């Protein structure tokens, strides 16, 4: 960095650090009467919420939690979790949002790795805890989170042996006076674990400053620019991606700062989600395509058209298809896609239609709305080739997305090797291959490890699979790149055909050839070899296992005579 | 500050500093086709603006400006000034926004004190420069800003002797390639001078981080909470408080980040202001009450009702009266008051009507809209008594407003004594006396030095003058506190009576007594002595000179037998 002249500071002059408590403080100023709702079980306004966050801070302090200690939470989306977002962090402790979808062995690994000291756990997850409790090395205190107390205030006394108490009882018994201290804005605020295809889960982590800035970035984009037609403080927010997954994409911090009404649905149950959506007047959510798909196909959807038409939803996690976008928009839902990852806290792109694009017919809008989005405010995004050179933003050239932004994890906890790989050359490497247009649209093509590098060009295996899916009779396909002496790599395809068809490699190539002639495909995209298989290898979470295909099926593929 | 655990950082990991260039970068992403307009002389879109800011950066670099150098600007509100807001600061230099309303001697003082190296000066201000040029000690380069070049591109060559050139010609001749570097976010970005009643002007200064955070505060409040019914990016902004005065209250930074259309009116000429307001579709401005008064009383106002009804205006600088607020609202103008000072960059409060208050009848809304505002996001505001104790926020108790916020000047440049006074006890002392309600409304009562401390109570001299103005026959009044053995101080009044009246001290006291009996005034508010004078002493800017009254008229007042 170049040397400049810094502002001089008078001895007693004060400049506040950017802390999560400063987001919280705004919730009391303007619309503190707005509510935070938990299922059909509990509701409170922001005055009460601020009191409870302080009661939680006192509870934790009484349990021995101090600055730098890690508090692990196992919960569905709840007001309690929101209280932890603010209460745990504002005393200088670290919030570990446990990914309850990992296997018990992985959860155990993350708890020991993060050095959890106190665990707050919902009763639904006690079976997991019981399976691993003996091997947990650093936890000394357990607190039960129970939904039963909302029906029966006395239910809280009934906690498992070794537990220090039940959350509601502890919080209600604590003082609501707590002056949150100032501390360094680079203080560690949250941590959680992300899994790849190999190796142990990796711990990402975020500072107060980073979460503050992520909130400012969201604010600038979705409220300032109305990227989601979000109107600000008067919207009603309900998350439908878990709070343990990248802090529910950071929205709870923004919604709290804006004292917007918030609705926490607990465990996701389609009927309850829909009920809350209607009765609480929800206008803003985020979810993965699967949930949206379930909702638009629910028989109730048509019935509640009017309510759905005020609903704005950010889609992420996996690609939004045009069909789903269309179905949602036909119901009046304003749908936008976003792009990000655990390492980027997460938002780095969201769909934004500019003045001209808003005038486009709905089908053309859908083409845009199903892109990964436009690069978010304060995010610098580039495309990089294998040699670390930047690739032009021409909407065509492919490169790995690399980013710099004020909310990127600065490493993986206690994992210097993978951290150095993530930050190679001073840019965060996403592992996603994309093109970017001159007007900042991002179009994801593939994962870096799956992109096929042939004759100096990058070919997206996903684009190829998309093209193959349009050949009549193809039920499923997987395209991988395998080494080739002349071209470096060449694409090859596995095909599952639909019953009753009798496809051949030639008939499929003929189908693709039509696209080549129409200029939709480059001729070097056409796979060299096409192999028919009864079934395509998948990973445990149902994704095509291209790594396995490349290693274990290589000989089969290359041995195939086309 | 307490010790906490900071986030670990991988060697190559990057976290961007908060710099003004990051606000600028957003203006290219989403709506770069929007325009920046200068009078009826010049217009460009954000693509061109970004190019020109880089051309300016190269121009300055060629003129020898480097990090830490100070560039002084004398200009009316213009696109050039906006280019300086970004171009000067983003190369690490310091922008000195010269207050052209100061006397030439004061301007000279500020230029030497700030150690200006390069001066960009509009032709209108050359007479000032000529009067002081010989005594300027640090400037080595002068650049002319001329409006003539927009009509005649060749006019730029005609610059005074000793000048390095004309702005447009230099900028157009420079390369538009400039990669703004990263540097410490505490880098000094801007400086300007504020005058008190005594002593030399004081230099306040702001860092990149502070101006970034002020932008976030404005964004949160006026767009996020719609405190001014500001809709964000699609508004059209025109400043009507000078850019040299606290960066036009920070709005140009926000408007640029939002790529909102911006209209710069040059020198304020009522007819042109109104014309631009109409033809360019302006929706957002800020001004002092005097300008608003002029506009609502202009014969054209009724004619342009329809255009005025989309106009949202923030009022500051001096108190907004109920009459003016009503007149503006009757024209459909959305009017809001704000509160701040040069030392606070400036915004610390803006009127915000919450959900309930928006439902109030217009007269009650006006009572609220003429308050100083509600405490802004990220601002911590308290009331302090003479002993440094906090005074309760009950809407009644008076105390000096003290603040902490992320955008407060950290001192006065090279003036340690007054800087230490400003920051006594770790809070910025505003010198304003106010009460604050539990729901964050701020009501200014007086300046600290004018408040009357009697029997342990603080009495607002302004409130007293307001009460006196309602007594029939009183044309003008001034209330000051003078020492009293029993009560510490007691209030006394000077009165100018209207022609044809024959008031006495007793008749005035009787008028006030009626208010005491109705519970509107405490009885100890009634002045001890009332002195009739032909004229009330004023300062050079037309304010009541209470200092002079207290010192020079003390004997007259205390000698008066009531």
């Amino acid at each position: 960095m170049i040397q400049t002249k810094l502002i001089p500071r008078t001895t007693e002059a004060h400049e506040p650090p950017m802390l999560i408590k400063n987001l919280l403080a705004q919730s009391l100023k303007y619309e503190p009467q707005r509510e935070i709702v938990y299922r059909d079980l509990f509701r409170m306004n922001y005055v009460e919420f601020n009191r409870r966050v302080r009661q939680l801070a006192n509870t934790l302090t009484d349990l021995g939690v101090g600055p730098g200690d890690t508090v692990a939470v196992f919960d569905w989306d709840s007001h309690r979790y929101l209280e932890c977002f603010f209460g745990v962090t504002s005393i200088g402790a670290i919030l570990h949002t446990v990914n309850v979808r990992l296997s018990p062995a992985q959860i155990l690994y993350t708890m020991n790795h993060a050095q959890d000291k106190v665990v707050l756990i919902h009763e639904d997850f006690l079976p997991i805890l019981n399976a691993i409790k003996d091997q947990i090395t650093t936890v000394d205190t357990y607190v039960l989170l129970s939904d039963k107390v909302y029906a029966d205030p006395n239910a809280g006394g009934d906690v498992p042996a070794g537990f220090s108490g039940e959350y509601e009882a502890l919080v209600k018994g604590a003082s609501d006076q707590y002056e949150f201290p100032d501390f360094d804005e680079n203080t560690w605020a949250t941590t959680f674990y992300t899994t790849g295809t190999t190796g142990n889960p990796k711990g990402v982590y975020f500072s107060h400053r980073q979460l503050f800035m992520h909130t400012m970035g969201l604010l600038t984009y979705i409220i300032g620019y109305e990227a989601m037609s979000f109107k600000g403080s008067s919207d009603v927010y309900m998350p439908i991606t878990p709070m343990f997954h990248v802090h529910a994409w950071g929205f709870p911090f923004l919604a709290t700062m804006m004292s917007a009404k918030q609705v926490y649905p607990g465990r996701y149950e389609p009927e309850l989600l829909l009920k809350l959506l209607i009765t609480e007047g929800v206008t803003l959510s985020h979810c993965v395509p699967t949930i949206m798909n379930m909702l638009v196909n629910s028989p109730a959807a048509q019935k509640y058209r009017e309510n759905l038409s005020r609903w704005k939803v950010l889609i992420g996690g996996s690609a939004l298809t045009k069909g789903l976008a269309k179905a949602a928009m036909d119901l009046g839902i304003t749908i936008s896609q976003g792009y990000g990852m655990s390492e980027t806290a997460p938002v780095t792109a969201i769909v934004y239609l500019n003045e001209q694009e808003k005038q486009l017919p709905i089908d053309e809008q859908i083409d845009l709305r199903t892109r990964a989005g436009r690069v978010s405010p304060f995010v610098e995004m580039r495309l990089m080739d294998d040699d670390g050179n930047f690739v032009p933003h021409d909407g065509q050239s492919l490169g790995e997305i690399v980013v710099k932004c004020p909310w990127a994890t600065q490493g993986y906890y206690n994992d210097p090797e993978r951290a150095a790989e993530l930050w190679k050359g001073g840019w965060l490497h996403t592992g996603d291959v994309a093109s970017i247009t001159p007007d900042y649209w991002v179009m994801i093509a593939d994962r870096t490890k799956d992109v096929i590098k042939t004759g100096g060009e990058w070919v997206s295996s996903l684009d190829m699979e998309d093209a193959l899916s349009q050949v009549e009779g193809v039920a499923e396909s997987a395209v991988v790149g395998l080494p080739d002496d002349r071209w470096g790599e060449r694409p090859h395809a596995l095909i599952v055909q639909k019953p009753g068809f009798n496809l051949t490699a030639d008939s499929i190539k003929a189908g693709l050839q039509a696209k080549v002639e129409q200029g939709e495909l480059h001729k070097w995209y056409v796979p060299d070899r096409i192999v028919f298989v009864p079934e395509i290898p998948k990973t445990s979470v149902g994704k095509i296992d291209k790594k396995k295909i490349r290693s274990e099926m290589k000989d089969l593929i290359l041995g195939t005579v086309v």
Side-chain angles (χ1 to χ4, degrees), chain A residues 14-34:
Chain A
H14 180 83
E15 189 170 324
M18 281 188 287
L19 301 177
I20 290 170
K21 71 168 181 173
N22 301 125
L23 302 175
L24 177 65
Q26 310 324 314
S27 69
L28 274 176
K29 284 182 180 166
Y30 313 112
E31 303 285 358
Q33 79 293 347
R34 296 228 182 99

Side-chain angles (χ1 to χ4, degrees), chain A residues 221 349-350 373-376 379 381 393 436-442:
Chain A
Y221 207 20
I350 293 179
R374 273 193 161 98
V375 180
S376 285
V379 174
M381 188 180 281
H393 294 192
I436 300 180
T437 70
D439 50 351
Y440 296 87
W441 279 108
V442 184

